[in-house]
Amino acid sequence: MTVLLNDTFLRALLRQPVDYTPVWLMRQAGRYLPEYRATRSRAGSFLQLCQNTELATEVTLQPLDRFDLDAAILFSDILTVPDAMGLGLHFVEGEGPKFAHPLQDEEAVRRLQVPDMNKLQYVFEAVKSIRLALDGRVPLIGFSGSPFTLACYMVEGGGSRDFRLLKTMMYKRPELLHHILTTNAEAVTLYLNEQIEAGAQVVQIFDTWGGILSDACFVEYDLFYLRQVISGLKRHVHGRQVPVVLFTKGGGLWLEKLAQSGADALGTDWTINLHQARERVGHQVALQGNLDPFALFGTKELIDSEVKRLLTDYGHGSGHVFNLGHGINQHTDPEQIKYLIDAVHRLSPKFHTS
Ligand code: CP3
């Protein structure tokens, strides 16, 4: 059993004392790094990269070799689960993900089943391999999409500007959408538990599209299934506690409800103020976020002042994990990322003196 050399991230998620504010960034492994683009072209495609244990391990560690990050995140994608359900995932250059067999009629929905986890073995192999390669440097985050966010892609057949097909199903045939969500919730629970068994030390649920819903629909179609997943997760494995992070983009209005989902920490986009968020839910959960990814296109002085602002907003004491409010944009300069991470480490210790 390797010793974890840097547990600052785990401690912050559990609101235990830390010496500085830990930082990792959503999409820290990705196209903004030239070494990522080189490995992806060796793999052939993004999906082949996800399925190649050795290369998926390599790209997971690339940002850690460049920057002083406090966590690693499994290199994979949320859409591996619907792919294993037989929807036929492929990526069209410049257009993002597409499904060959989206769920657009009753028959397709009725056929949907929880996939055999053996089809996702490549993900669990990647988790094991990354843990070995990390050798205790920092904790490894596993992840999944939320049942609702996966359903968005499964019904639309890809990304969407207005989610017309998904919302039509929701208002016209709610029982079909509930069938998809029930199946997804079961699949996501199994999938995350397998990642935990394979060695993921934290899991994050990406609820990227929760924010498109009305208040009432959010409770019925998203939160209900999030709670179901979280209550089914293995939280104590081989003597270690596995914290759960829930990131609902656009979920700032629902912080109190999200804080009662059973998650240990909430990811926040840039629309909320961390001081107000902490007042609302900081006694229940840790908070992760919430820099606008485009702040990285500003000057170094701007980055410094944004870091100071976020640290000051959260205030003194543990329970904050510094992150962006959404993934790194592919046109970001890696030097700016380095500057940001070092700024968090330079400016945060004074918020943790006792
Ligand atoms: O954060 C990390 O470094 C870990 C890897 C990771 C990826 N996708 C790699 C990826 C994670 C955690 C995800 C999650 C994911 N995937 C989400 C939720 C988070 C979010 O961004 O909202 C979603 C919605 C997806 C689905 C997805 N995958 C889309 C919409 C796209 C295309 C958009 C884009 O940025 O091109 C992807 C592709 C994808 N996933 C890439 C990467 C590095 C780019 C693929 C490439 O190399 O060409």
Side-chain angles (χ1 to χ4, degrees), residues 28-38 59 62-63 66-67 330 332 334:
Q28 63 190 29
R31 284 167 300 189
Y32 76 102
L33 289 176
E35 59 270 35
Y36 167 83
R37 297 195 297 269
V59 293
Q62 284 171 348
R66 265 193 191 243
F67 316 121
Q330 61 167 308
T332 308

Side-chain angles (χ1 to χ4, degrees), residues 41-261:
S41 77
R42 264 203 286 150
S45 70
F46 169 66
L47 275 183
Q48 284 170 304
L49 177 53
C50 293
Q51 289 165 1
N52 183 317
T53 310
E54 195 187 320
L55 297 183
T57 304
E58 184 178 305
V59 293
T60 302
L61 268 72
Q62 284 171 348
L64 286 114
D65 291 338
R66 265 193 191 243
F67 316 121
D68 194 10
L69 289 157
D70 294 295
I73 179 161
L74 161 71
F75 189 82
S76 188
D77 199 83
I78 63 167
L79 301 178
T80 53
V81 171
D83 186 50
M85 289 166 157
L87 271 68
L89 176 63
H90 53 281
F91 282 82
V92 180
E93 194 57 44
E95 283 183 52
K98 297 273 179 236
F99 284 116
H101 313 292
L103 305 179
Q104 292 174 348
D105 56 50
E106 176 153 5
E107 219 191 307
V109 174
R110 296 283 173 217
R111 267 200 311 268
L112 189 71
Q113 281 183 2
V114 176
D116 183 339
M117 287 297 132
N118 281 327
K119 289 196 179 132
L120 292 157
Q121 199 56 41
Y122 66 92
V123 177
F124 315 133
E125 290 306 321
V127 171
K128 288 184 208 158
S129 159
I130 296 163
R131 275 295 303 272
L132 280 176
L134 281 172
D135 198 24
R137 271 163 81 178
V138 290
L140 175 63
I141 307 165
F143 69 90
S144 169
S146 70
F148 177 74
T149 291
L150 294 179
C152 288
Y153 288 99
M154 292 160 77
V155 173
E156 296 288 339
S160 171
R161 197 167 41 83
D162 55 10
F163 297 94
R164 177 174 58 88
L165 300 175
L166 182 280
K167 286 193 168 180
T168 303
M169 184 184 285
M170 184 172 83
Y171 289 115
K172 215 176 194 172
R173 299 294 308 274
E175 76 286 4
L176 294 186
L177 185 55
H178 278 301
H179 177 73
I180 298 173
L181 293 167
T182 302
T183 311
N184 286 357
E186 205 180 313
V188 164
T189 308
L190 289 172
Y191 184 56
L192 287 175
N193 279 336
E194 289 283 344
Q195 291 185 35
I196 292 169
E197 280 293 343
Q201 289 146 298
V202 171
V203 290
Q204 174 154 324
I205 301 173
F206 284 91
D207 185 24
T208 304
W209 297 117
I212 67 164
L213 290 168
S214 71
D215 178 68
C217 288
F218 168 71
V219 173
E220 181 176 347
Y221 294 94
D222 195 353
L223 186 61
F224 176 85
Y225 295 96
L226 286 167
R227 296 178 71 114
Q228 204 166 304
V229 169
I230 294 169
S231 70
L233 294 180
K234 296 180 181 169
R235 306 293 276 272
H236 295 271
V237 175
H238 312 307
R240 57 188 170 89
Q241 188 173 350
V242 183
V244 176
V245 184
L246 170 57
F247 170 59
T248 294
K249 186 158 175 289
L253 290 170
W254 301 315
L255 281 185
E256 289 81 359
K257 287 181 184 135
L258 291 164
Q260 287 174 11
S261 63

Side-chain angles (χ1 to χ4, degrees), residues 5-6 27 43 106 320:
L5 301 171
N6 174 356
R27 283 285 171 93
E106 176 153 5
H320 178 212

